[in-house]
C-alpha cells in the first residue's frame, strides 16, 4: 500500500503547495476533505487531534502537513509530505525573490496585494469553521472554541494560552464530575 | 547570484542598517533554526526579531517589504522569507540551509510529541484534554481571522470576498484549487478596476 499512499501524498501536497496563499489555514479545509473524506486515511477525531498537536509545537504552521504524513505513512510519509508542501511554493518564491524589486514597482502589484487578504481571510475563517465542526462535540466544546476565538481576537497574548486553559479546565471539570 | 544582486538598483539609501558583509549558509541555518525553535503560536514576531534586530540581515523597511511579498505568495510566509533571504546571501545553498534550519527542530519535536501522545492517548484525562485542545485550536484560527480583518479595516467590497470565500469552502465545501483559481483573479480584477477609476 505504501508506495501508492506516498505518491498520493506527493500529488496532494504539491498541488496544495501552489495554492497555499496565507499558509496552513488556507489549505486545512481541503486537507480535511482529502485526508478524511476522499482517502479515509484518518478519522475526524484523529484529524482534529493532529491539528491541535501541530499547534502546540513550535515552527511554521505548515508542519501540520508533515505530521499528517507521519501518521499516514511513517518517516517516509513525513519526509515526502514536508518536501512536497515546501518545494513548489519555495521554488516560486526563489524566482520571485530574484525579480522582486521589479515586481514591487509594477503598477498592478498594489492591486494584487490588496486583492489577496479578503480571499485569504475568508479561507482562514473557513478553516476554523471546518476544524470546529470536526472538533466540537458538545456545549463545552462550543465554549472552548468561542472562548479561544474571543481571546485570540481581542488580546495580544500568545493564543496558546487559550488552548492550555481549555485543556486544564476540561480535565479538572471531568475529574471533579462537573461536566 | 552575486552578479544578479549587483544588477539590481541599490536601495541602501533607504536602509538604516547595512546588512553584514558575509553571511554563510551555517549562519542562515542557525538563525532560522532559532526562528523555528522559538516560534510558538506563530513565526511572524520571532522572525522579525531575529532577522532585523539580532542578526541585522535586513533593515526594518527592507524586512517589511520582503514580508509583504512573501505573504502574497503561496507557501508559509516565513518559509518564503527563508528562501529569498537565503538566496540573497548564498544563492541556492543559502535557501536550502535556511529552509532546512527552519523545519529541523519543529519536525523533531512534532514527531516526539505525536509519538508520546499515541502512548497516552487512551488515558481518560488525555482524551478529555485533547478534545478540549482541539476545540480551542479551531477557535484560535477563527479568532486570528477576526483579528486580522479588524486590523485591515476592510471595505464592503473586500468583505464580500471574505464571505464568498468562506461560503465556497466552509458551507458548499468546494475544493480549494478551483475556488482559488476563480476567486483570486476575480478579486484582483475588481480591486484593479476600482483603483484605476
Amino acid at each position: 500500500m505504501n508506495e501508492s499512499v506516498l505518491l498520493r501524498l506527493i500529488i496532494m501536497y504539491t498541488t496544495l503547495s501552489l495554492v497555499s496563499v496565507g499558509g496552513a489555514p488556507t489549505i486545512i479545509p481541503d486537507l480535511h476533505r482529502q485526508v478524511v473524506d476522499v482517502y479515509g486515511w484518518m478519522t475526524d477525531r484523529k484529524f482534529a487531534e493532529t491539528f491541535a498537536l501541530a499547534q502546540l509545537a513550535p515552527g511554521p504552521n505548515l508542519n501540520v502537513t508533515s505530521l499528517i504524513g507521519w501518521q499516514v505513512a511513517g518517516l517516509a510519509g513525513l519526509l515526502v509530505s514536508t518536501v512536497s508542501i515546501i518545494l513548489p511554493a519555495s521554488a516560486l518564491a526563489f524566482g520571485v525573490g530574484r525579480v522582486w524589486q521589479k515586481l514591487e514597482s509594477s503598477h498592478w502589484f498594489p492591486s494584487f496585494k490588496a486583492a489577496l487578504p479578503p480571499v485569504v481571510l475568508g479561507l482562514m475563517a473557513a478553516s476554523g469553521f471546518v476544524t470546529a465542526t470536526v472538533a466540537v462535540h458538545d456545549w463545552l466544546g462550543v465554549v472552548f472554541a468561542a472562548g479561544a476565538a474571543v481571546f485570540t481576537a481581542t488580546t495580544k497574548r500568545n493564543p496558546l494560552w487559550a488552548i492550555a486553559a481549555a485543556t486544564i479546565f476540561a480535565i479538572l471539570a471531568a475529574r471533579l464530575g462537573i461536566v | 547570484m552575486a552578479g544578479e544582486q549587483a544588477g539590481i538598483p541599490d536601495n541602501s539609501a533607504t536602509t538604516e542598517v547595512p546588512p553584514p558583509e558575509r553571511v554563510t549558509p551555517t549562519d542562515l541555518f542557525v538563525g532560522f533554526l532559532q526562528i523555528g525553535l522559538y516560534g510558538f503560536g506563530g513565526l511572524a514576531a520571532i522572525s522579525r526579531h531575529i532577522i532585523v534586530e539580532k542578526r541585522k540581515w535586513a533593515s526594518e523597511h527592507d524586512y517589511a517589504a520582503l514580508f509583504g511579498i512573501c505573504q502574497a505568495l503561496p507557501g508559509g510566509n516565513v518559509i518564503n522569507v527563508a528562501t529569498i533571504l537565503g538566496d540573497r546571501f548564498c544563492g541556492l545553498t543559502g535557501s536550502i540551509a535556511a529552509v532546512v534550519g527552519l523545519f529541523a527542530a519543529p519536525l523533531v519535536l512534532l514527531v516526539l510529541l505525536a509519538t508520546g501522545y499515541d502512548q497516552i492517548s487512551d488515558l481518560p484525562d488525555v482524551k478529555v484534554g485533547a478534545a478540549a485542545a482541539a476545540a480551542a485550536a479551531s477557535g484560535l484560527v477563527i479568532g486570528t481571522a477576526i483579528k486580522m480583518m479588524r486590523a485591515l479595516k476592510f471595505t464592503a467590497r473586500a468583505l464580500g470576498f471574505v464571505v464568498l470565500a468562506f461560503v465556497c469552502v466552509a458551507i458548499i465545501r468546494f475544493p480549494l484549487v478551483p475556488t482559488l483559481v476563480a476567486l483570486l483573479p476575480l478579486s484582483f480584477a475588481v480591486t484593479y478596476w476600482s483603483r484605476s477609476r
Side-chain angles (χ1 to χ4, degrees):
Chain A
M1 77 137 200
N2 242 328
E3 270 163 35
S4 73
V5 169
L6 290 181
L7 191 64
R8 281 174 178 175
L9 281 170
I10 293 173
I11 294 168
M12 178 174 83
Y13 280 137
T14 43
T15 314
L16 288 179
S17 177
L18 287 172
V19 292
S20 61
V21 188
T26 307
I27 64 167
I28 290 293
D30 209 67
L31 206 51
H32 172 261
R33 187 183 65 83
Q34 297 202 44
V35 168
V36 177
D37 298 338
V38 178
Y39 295 127
W41 285 329
M42 275 183 187
T43 61
D44 264 347
R45 183 191 153 186
K46 188 78 181 170
F47 187 87
E49 287 172 0
T50 302
F51 179 72
L53 272 179
Q55 299 279 331
L56 294 178
N61 57 11
L62 275 170
N63 63 17
V64 66
T65 60
S66 312
L67 189 55
I68 289 174
W70 165 263
Q71 279 166 346
V72 170
L75 186 61
L78 174 111
L79 294 175
V80 154
S81 301
T82 309
V83 171
S84 302
I85 199 73
I86 295 175
L87 204 56
S90 275
L92 184 67
F94 189 87
V96 168
R98 297 208 162 180
V99 294
W100 75 302
Q101 269 156 332
K102 270 182 234 162
L103 273 182
E104 224 194 355
S105 57
S106 73
H107 68 285
W108 53 264
F109 192 73
S111 298
F112 176 68
K113 267 173 84 172
L116 278 168
V119 177
V120 167
L121 290 183
L123 293 173
M124 191 191 276
S127 154
F129 181 82
V130 169
T131 41
T133 57
V134 170
V136 171
H137 308 290
D138 49 21
W139 66 268
L140 200 57
V142 176
V143 172
F144 290 149
V150 171
F151 180 83
T152 310
T154 56
T155 71
K156 290 194 168 188
R157 314 202 69 148
N158 192 321
L160 291 179
W161 287 113
I163 297 184
T167 309
I168 293 166
F169 182 86
I171 293 172
L172 285 180
R175 286 232 164 176
L176 298 172
I178 298 171
V179 186
Chain B
M1 291 138 223
E4 265 175 71
Q5 289 293 330
I8 293 168
D10 188 11
N11 270 6
S12 56
T14 56
T15 59
E16 307 94 33
V17 193
E21 289 286 304
R22 225 179 111 66
V23 177
T24 64
T26 314
D27 295 335
L28 289 162
F29 178 85
V30 174
F32 279 94
L33 188 74
Q34 289 172 320
I35 293 174
L37 202 51
Y38 302 151
F40 283 93
L43 293 181
I46 186 71
S47 72
R48 195 205 65 89
H49 178 73
I50 300 241
I51 291 170
V52 177
E53 287 176 27
K54 277 196 78 178
R55 301 249 169 190
K56 304 197 185 345
W57 285 339
S59 70
E60 194 78 57
H61 170 87
D62 202 16
Y63 180 77
L66 178 63
F67 198 75
I69 295 217
C70 287
Q71 274 184 309
L73 293 170
N77 44 27
V78 178
I79 307 172
N80 290 338
V81 169
T83 307
I84 294 178
L85 212 54
D87 178 43
R88 238 193 240 178
F89 290 119
C90 309
L92 183 59
T93 318
S95 292
I96 294 170
V99 173
V100 170
L102 185 61
F103 270 86
L107 285 189
V108 172
L109 283 173
L110 208 53
V111 166
L112 291 177
L113 202 63
T115 311
Y117 175 76
D118 284 341
Q119 306 285 321
I120 57 169
S121 63
D122 285 331
L123 297 177
D125 276 355
V126 175
K127 269 189 180 166
V128 170
S138 69
L140 188 155
V141 177
I142 297 172
T144 306
I146 294 171
K147 186 183 215 164
M148 292 172 75
M149 272 186 254
R150 286 172 54 189
L152 288 171
K153 298 193 175 66
F154 279 158
T155 59
R157 192 184 61 242
L159 280 176
F161 277 100
V162 173
V163 173
L164 202 56
F166 180 84
V167 169
C168 285
V169 171
I171 311 293
I172 310 175
R173 304 278 170 125
F174 278 143
L176 176 65
V177 177
T179 306
L180 265 181
V181 167
L183 284 187
L184 278 184
L186 190 63
S187 177
F188 172 69
V190 170
T191 310
Y192 189 81
W193 173 76
S194 70
R195 282 181 175 220
S196 55
R197 269 196 314 170

